[in-house]
Amino acid sequence: MGVFRREYKTKEGIKTAKNWSCEFFIDGERFCKTLEGSDKLTKREAERTCDALRESEKAIIRGTNKVTYDDAMEKYYQGYLDRIDKRQRGTHKRVQDRYVYIVERLNNRFSGKALDAITRVDVVEMIMSRRNEGAKDITIANDVDCLMAMYNHAETLGMCDYRDIPNFKSIKKLLRRSNPKQRYLTEAEFDKLMEHAGLMIKNIIVLAVETGMRKEEYLSLLWKDVDMIAGRIHVKDTKNGKDRNIPIS
């Protein structure tokens, strides 16, 4: 959303309109209007006028049937559960629902609010509240990421306009994220593991060390995904949703 003064051509050259114009979006539809009688307004005052005009148009379009946080979260969370179910039926994976407690916390805070009424301030207050409860920033970041994913999903479904979404880019700067630690087995640790492991576990240890596959990936591996001739393992539906090929040593 923005305000600007239009430029137009005349015989004397390019001239700038006296009144401000504004552009905004509602449910994906673009609106561009001239603010009549705004020639004496500052840009900030014109922006406030534009905000009021947008809210007025939104009320006319949506009426009293505003999309709520509950509507958007229900759609998002159900889609997430459906993806988990699909992955479990496609292989013998037991995929953990990592969002169940996050969604519960978000529901306790935002349930009943209109989706476009949740602001950056509301999210920042949630962060402060979680810190006061003793939660670490890396844990709070999971809550923020879930809320952001819900908004992105709602925008895709046309449940909100991208202008309604809190500024998560600036919000996430408030959170201190530690760099993930990289840890590799030493030769002595590997030998000790192999010495005390049973035959089946030994095979798993070798596979994990030689390929770097995640636990969920090597425990759900099927023979049809192993190409002994080409010397590679095809891993499907990885953590980031993409397939990848791993060379066999």
Side-chain angles (χ1 to χ4, degrees):
M1 182 168 55
V3 296
F4 54 92
R5 282 193 167 101
R6 294 183 186 276
E7 292 184 342
Y8 56 94
K9 290 183 179 180
T10 67
K11 292 180 180 180
E12 292 79 22
I14 302 296
K15 287 194 174 183
T16 302
K18 293 182 179 180
N19 287 320
W20 290 95
S21 293
C22 73
E23 179 188 50
F24 54 86
F25 293 80
I26 300 174
D27 296 340
E29 184 179 354
R30 177 177 175 269
F31 293 81
C32 192
K33 297 180 179 291
T34 299
L35 304 178
E36 298 296 340
S38 61
D39 54 308
K40 297 292 195 324
L41 299 180
T42 65
K43 185 175 181 180
R44 186 175 293 276
E45 289 171 336
E47 286 174 343
R48 287 199 288 265
T49 303
C50 182
D51 288 341
L53 180 61
R54 179 173 179 268
E55 291 305 311
S56 176
E57 289 285 349
K58 190 191 297 182
I60 294 171
I61 292 170
R62 294 181 179 174
T64 57
N65 298 320
K66 280 198 169 187
V67 178
T68 65
Y69 159 87
D70 305 81
D71 299 327
M73 180 55 81
E74 182 181 1
K75 290 278 187 184
Y76 171 71
Y77 189 47
Q78 188 56 55
Y80 169 76
L81 294 177
D82 290 343
R83 290 194 298 275
I84 287 181
D85 183 61
K86 183 179 178 181
R87 291 175 69 188
Q88 290 184 154
R89 285 186 284 106
T91 65
H92 53 275
K93 295 178 182 179
R94 293 181 60 84
V95 185
Q96 183 181 356
D97 177 5
R98 300 182 183 277
Y99 276 4
V100 58
Y101 298 115
I102 294 176
V103 171
E104 183 178 341
R105 285 195 296 269
L106 292 174
N107 287 349
N108 289 339
R109 176 165 288 271
F110 298 116
S111 180
K113 288 193 174 185
L115 193 59
D116 61 359
I118 299 173
T119 65
R120 180 184 185 278
V121 173
D122 294 323
V123 182
V124 171
E125 286 179 351
M126 178 193 76
I127 292 173
M128 298 299 109
S129 176
R130 293 282 288 129
R131 280 178 178 165
N132 291 336
E133 293 169 1
K136 295 183 178 179
D137 275 21
I138 192 168
T139 302
I140 302 170
N142 293 331
D143 295 6
V144 175
D145 287 343
C146 179
L147 188 63
M148 181 174 68
M150 182 212 71
Y151 265 103
N152 291 337
H153 185 67
E155 183 191 359
T156 301
L157 296 179
M159 299 177 76
C160 71
D161 183 84
Y162 77 92
R163 306 287 180 174
D164 297 328
I165 301 175
N167 188 345
F168 284 103
K169 186 176 180 179
S170 66
I171 290 170
K172 293 170 80 170
K173 288 180 180 178
L174 301 174
L175 296 167
R176 298 181 293 273
R177 298 190 184 225
S178 58
N179 294 324
K181 296 180 181 179
Q182 290 189 340
R183 173 76 164 83
Y184 300 97
L185 287 177
T186 64
E187 288 189 19
E189 290 171 332
F190 176 77
D191 292 339
K192 192 171 183 180
L193 271 176
M194 295 296 286
E195 180 184 347
H196 292 86
L199 178 60
M200 182 177 177
I201 300 300
K202 281 183 178 179
N203 292 333
I204 291 177
I205 293 172
V206 172
L207 180 64
V209 170
E210 292 292 331
T211 63
M213 294 169 67
R214 297 184 178 94
K215 176 182 175 182
E216 185 182 88
E217 293 173 344
Y218 59 68
L219 289 181
S220 61
L221 193 62
L222 303 176
W223 274 115
K224 65 180 182 179
D225 300 323
V226 180
D227 189 338
M228 299 297 290
I229 297 175
R232 66 184 181 186
I233 298 171
H234 183 60
V235 182
K236 299 177 180 178
D237 195 18
T238 61
K239 186 177 180 181
N240 62 9
K242 298 179 180 179
D243 293 0
R244 62 191 177 103
N245 289 306
I246 300 173
I248 299 174
S249 64

